[in-house]
Amino acid sequence: MRSMPGKTLYDKIWDGHVVTEQDGEAILYIDLHLIHEVTTPQAFAGLRASHRPVRRPDRTLAVADHNVPTEGQALGIGAVADEEARLQLQTLERNVKEHGIEFFPMGDIRNGIVHVVGPEQGRTQPGMTIVCGDSHTSTHGAFGALAHGIGTSEVEHVLATQTLRQKKARNFRVNIEGEPIPGVGAKDYALAVIGEIGTAGGTGYVIEYAGSAIRALSMEGRMTLCNLTIEAGARAGLVAPDETTFDYLRGRPSAPKGGAWEMALSYWKTFFSDDDAAWDREITLDAGKIAPLVTWGTSPEDVLAVTDRVPDPESFDTPGKRASAVQALEYMGLTAGQPISDAKVDVVFIGSCTNSRIEDLRAAAKIAEGRKVASHVRAMVVPGSGLVRAQAEDEGLDEIFLAAGFEWREPGCSMCLAMNPDKVPPGQRCASTSNRNFEGRQGRAGRTHLMSPVMAAAAAIAGHIADVRDYL
Amino acid sequence: MQAFTRLDATLAPLPLANIDTDQIIPKQFLKTVEREGLAKGLFYDLRFDGEGRPKPDFVLNRPEFKGAGVLVAGDNFGCGSSREHAPWALMDFGIRCVVSTSFADIFYNNCFQNGLLPVVLKADEVASLMDEAKGGNHLVTVDLEAQTVVAPSGRTYAFAIDPQRKEKMLKGLDAIGETLTRAADIDVYEMRQALAKPWLEDA
């Protein structure tokens, strides 16, 4: 008799959450639903119109992050200058109150970017299913949880039923092996993967990251990597939980305690891919061969080593890609063949759900310490939550940044998506630790170069895109 | 959800790859608490210049594509953010179908929540449809029941679609109502889980 083939981590989480299945479409139970002000008002309006309650308010957690200004938060929502943003924030406040949902409002020390807050509070746990009306929900996969973004109709569906109708995705394993060179980390791994497979390379898959370089990553690094999985087209990224994961979770406010911790731990330890699991696709990268990376264009797949030159659009293989590259170079104000390190920056943004955690700030502060931001550069550091901000202040990181000439802001999504007062002005160039370099993403006609926190700090000091290895 | 059965409409070509949701509907239009009225923000930075004047060359501003109901676009349409404002804006503008070689997962899924039909064709088929759209006649027929796109020349392209999604879109079914008919199954699942994972119950 032949034994059943092994299961992947994704297969195991999936199988454990199928409520019922019909013709390949499952009703999948959702353990944790994170919500924020931008993608929920229409969902709550839909519930109200159909007189439907929220099924599990206790499995729902709300924050205010996309719209909030990153200064003056103590003044409250009433002081938010943008009328539409204020209305959205007030609408969320009203909706969570009406439905009894836990909410960390703007100004609460626990508030911050939804994908920083969930893990920080210990709400994100291994083996869970987690959704949020935000594509970077993939972040939570760092804990071995199946986590992905959904649209507003699905937000309403989850609020009403605590389930989602889903078809199963395919399994893709990305192995990253070996040791990185100094100055290279999780952000570079993620950009290397996107550069390798393209922004549609992961479409239809869930990606599991494995290999010695992944095991060596901290939880912050794993979150950065899983966060950017959506930029490779896969809705969810995963890292199997291990001691690093459990150490991070132990003692967090919503992590299980005492006997419950032991029980949870033995459950969490069942979440790994079996040796004989089948993979629909697999690639392997050598961590030691990855240089510090930056993007040159308007798609996250437009990646090159900081020592490289801007590519010639003619070098791309399809007419669509050639046309996009021509348009990208024009938008970015770059010339084919120029060294990318020639590009002078006007703005530096260290923050976002990709890179605003304590470790990101520590790494950037190390580069900034004892140096000065170039005089023509506006550089800002935006911690991912009030708690990250407080911890950084305990460690004196704020003083390092301020002494170097960085602004030290209050938490929020900030300049990642320009839905709040933090924007890249038209035509200006930004070295950014965020996740998307799309046209207009950080502000109309703003030019974004994605890179790691240490690379962004180096760019702030140099005044142009710079190789962090010169600053180590 | 609005049902989709068959559509005769003007086809507009958008020959760019990786059209992301920030391009489809920029962030300044996401601050609404309504689903309606998003047409004004559709492809805003492509349609309008810095002063808010229409760019005459952009395909949807050209008189021959006025009232377009179908878009044909390059690879990986709808990548980026999960914002459902993207399909809402397309629908509000009058676009009911987008043809491409591939769509980003979340966008694709969002389309089916709203009755916007995403049609996947092969690269050479998308290219020839794109060429035809640039010609003198732009009228196409999209038939979901038959799973075909009939080009202006009369050439017919068959497309594949998940049978359940097709059924729901043809009927315009309410997904939440459907799922709530299985509420008893959800109750049972929750009771089992509460016993197996008690630490999640008093979080």
Side-chain angles (χ1 to χ4, degrees):
Chain A
M1 200 176 84
R2 279 178 60 191
S3 63
M4 292 281 284
K7 286 181 177 183
T8 66
L9 168 54
Y10 170 53
D11 295 338
K12 290 180 184 179
I13 303 175
W14 174 274
D15 290 350
H17 288 83
V18 173
V19 170
T20 173
E21 198 163 5
Q22 200 179 2
D23 303 325
E25 188 184 56
I27 294 183
L28 200 68
Y29 196 77
I30 301 303
D31 292 319
L32 176 63
H33 187 192
L34 302 166
I35 63 173
H36 63 85
E37 75 277 20
V38 176
T39 56
T40 54
Q42 296 88 348
F44 281 107
L47 287 184
R48 205 168 289 126
S50 1
H51 307 289
R52 286 169 176 151
V54 173
R55 185 179 171 98
R56 294 294 300 263
D58 61 320
R59 296 296 185 90
T60 314
L61 175 66
V63 302
D65 57 2
H66 284 60
N67 272 344
V68 300
T70 58
E71 58 186 349
Q73 293 183 357
L75 299 171
I77 294 177
V80 172
D82 180 334
E83 203 172 309
E84 285 181 295
R86 195 167 66 238
L87 176 64
Q88 254 187 0
L89 290 164
Q90 287 163 339
T91 304
L92 178 66
E93 197 170 34
R94 198 186 68 223
N95 286 329
V96 296
K97 202 169 166 196
E98 184 182 326
H99 295 280
I101 293 166
E102 186 174 18
F103 176 43
F104 301 152
M106 185 181 81
D108 185 312
I109 194 166
R110 298 165 299 174
N111 188 48
I113 308 173
V114 65
H115 309 309
V116 175
V117 171
E120 183 173 81
Q121 290 296 321
R123 292 293 291 255
T124 298
Q125 295 174 14
M128 277 184 159
T129 47
I130 302 175
V131 295
C132 172
D134 187 281
S135 60
H136 293 108
T137 307
S138 58
T139 309
H140 307 264
F143 291 79
L146 176 61
H148 60 79
I150 54 176
T152 298
S153 294
E154 289 179 319
V155 168
E156 185 181 339
H157 191 284
V158 177
L159 288 171
T161 70
Q162 203 58 33
T163 68
L164 204 56
R165 289 180 167 266
Q166 286 280 292
K167 294 239 166 187
K168 203 173 168 202
R170 289 174 291 170
N171 284 292
F172 187 162
R173 182 157 65 180
V174 172
N175 305 296
I176 307 183
E177 302 286 357
E179 278 195 41
I181 60 170
V184 168
K187 183 66 166 277
D188 305 287
Y189 296 169
L191 291 173
V193 171
I194 300 163
E196 175 85 16
I197 68 174
T199 52
T203 302
Y205 293 98
V206 164
I207 292 179
E208 180 177 339
Y209 298 96
S212 59
I214 305 303
R215 289 292 128 220
L217 283 177
S218 64
M219 286 318 294
E220 286 85 353
R222 294 177 191 184
M223 284 190 256
T224 299
L225 185 60
C226 288
N227 171 280
L228 287 162
T229 305
I230 184 64
E231 309 313 329
R235 292 175 81 174
L238 287 168
V239 174
D242 58 13
E243 289 305 321
T244 304
T245 321
F246 309 141
D247 287 345
Y248 178 96
L249 277 164
R250 198 174 282 115
R252 303 250 160 208
S254 294
K257 311 273 184 312
W261 169 265
E262 294 306 323
M263 199 175 175
L265 197 60
S266 59
Y267 171 72
W268 294 342
K269 285 182 175 171
T270 64
F271 289 98
F272 56 88
S273 289
D274 296 330
D275 290 339
D276 58 343
W279 299 94
D280 300 296
R281 191 176 171 194
E282 187 161 15
I283 62 166
T284 299
L285 302 185
D286 179 349
K289 293 202 170 120
I290 298 171
L293 300 175
V294 293
T295 60
W296 58 268
T298 54
S299 166
E301 71 188 27
D302 299 339
V303 169
L304 46 70
V306 65
T307 47
D308 276 351
R309 290 168 185 273
V310 174
D312 185 339
E314 286 306 309
S315 65
F316 292 94
D317 52 2
T318 66
K321 284 201 169 143
R322 283 194 287 272
S324 294
V326 169
Q327 189 179 319
L329 287 188
E330 192 191 324
Y331 181 85
M332 292 298 291
L334 296 171
T335 314
Q338 79 171 91
I340 191 67
S341 58
D342 279 359
K344 197 172 152 193
V345 302
D346 308 290
V347 181
V348 171
F349 170 57
I350 297 176
S352 86
C353 59
T354 311
N355 281 126
S356 63
R357 298 179 182 82
I358 189 69
E359 186 179 89
D360 301 315
L361 304 191
R362 286 179 190 142
K366 225 171 188 175
I367 302 297
E369 188 159 21
R371 297 189 170 109
K372 288 281 178 201
V373 170
S375 58
H376 66 277
V377 172
R378 178 194 181 196
M380 59 200 287
V381 182
V382 186
S385 70
L387 288 167
V388 170
R389 187 168 194 265
Q391 161 123 30
E393 290 177 355
D394 276 352
E395 296 179 17
L397 304 184
D398 57 327
E399 284 168 25
I400 295 174
F401 286 122
L402 287 165
F406 286 84
E407 295 172 33
W408 179 245
R409 315 282 297 187
E410 292 170 1
C413 295
S414 184
M415 203 181 264
C416 174
L417 82 171
M419 280 195 72
N420 51 71
D422 303 339
K423 294 182 177 69
V424 176
Q428 291 203 2
R429 188 177 302 286
C430 180
S432 180
T433 66
S434 56
N435 41 59
R436 291 195 173 125
N437 52 352
F438 298 160
E439 286 188 18
R441 170 81 180 184
Q442 293 194 285
R444 196 183 60 77
R447 294 162 169 165
T448 303
H449 295 273
L450 302 176
M451 61 190 75
S452 69
V454 290
M455 283 284 287
I461 310 296
H464 55 83
I465 291 178
D467 191 334
V468 66
R469 287 170 288 187
D470 298 336
Y471 295 82
L472 292 174
Chain B
M1 176 173 76
Q2 214 174 320
F4 186 109
T5 48
R6 191 191 132 106
L7 175 71
D8 297 297
T10 296
L11 172 69
L14 204 52
L16 287 172
N18 297 320
I19 294 178
D20 56 71
T21 52
D22 280 81
Q23 280 177 274
I24 298 171
I25 180 95
K27 67 278 164 194
Q28 65 268 34
F29 300 100
L30 307 186
K31 292 181 194 165
T32 174
V33 294
E34 312 287 339
R35 281 175 193 251
E36 292 78 26
L38 285 160
K40 63 175 187 284
L42 182 72
F43 296 123
Y44 191 82
D45 292 330
L46 295 168
R47 267 165 73 203
F48 301 101
D49 66 16
E51 273 75 55
R53 289 175 305 230
K55 293 180 184 172
D57 293 343
F58 182 63
V59 62
L60 297 175
N61 288 334
R62 284 158 53 189
E64 63 269 38
F65 296 106
K66 195 173 158 48
V70 183
L71 274 185
V72 54
D75 308 343
N76 197 28
F77 188 87
C79 59
S81 131
S82 65
R83 60 188 71 166
E84 199 163 319
H85 309 70
W88 293 340
L90 286 160
M91 300 264 298
D92 197 42
F93 194 84
I95 289 163
R96 292 294 313 277
C97 172
V98 182
V99 181
S100 176
T101 55
S102 59
F103 292 89
D105 279 344
I106 301 179
F107 175 83
Y108 189 76
N109 210 38
N110 281 339
C111 286
F112 285 98
Q113 309 290 337
N114 291 282
L116 175 70
L117 180 64
V119 170
V120 177
L121 294 179
K122 294 189 194 79
D124 58 327
E125 296 173 331
V126 169
S128 70
L129 202 55
M130 194 87 78
D131 283 343
E132 283 201 43
K134 292 172 189 163
N137 175 6
H138 315 115
L139 197 68
V140 288
T141 300
V142 181
D143 189 330
L144 177 55
E145 183 63 58
Q147 295 180 215
T148 56
V149 177
V150 183
S153 62
R155 230 174 118 177
T156 301
Y157 303 98
F159 61 87
I161 187 166
D162 176 73
Q164 286 172 324
R165 287 188 146 150
K166 174 181 174 180
E167 185 69 11
K168 285 177 195 161
M169 201 177 251
L170 283 170
K171 293 182 178 158
L173 287 180
D174 165 26
I176 297 176
E178 282 272 285
T179 300
L180 286 175
T181 64
R182 311 304 296 265
D185 294 326
I186 302 173
D187 291 343
V188 170
Y189 180 90
E190 278 186 340
M191 281 187 275
R192 279 202 328 256
Q193 294 304 308
L195 291 174
K197 295 181 261 181
W199 64 91
L200 289 179
E201 296 305 310
D202 41 38

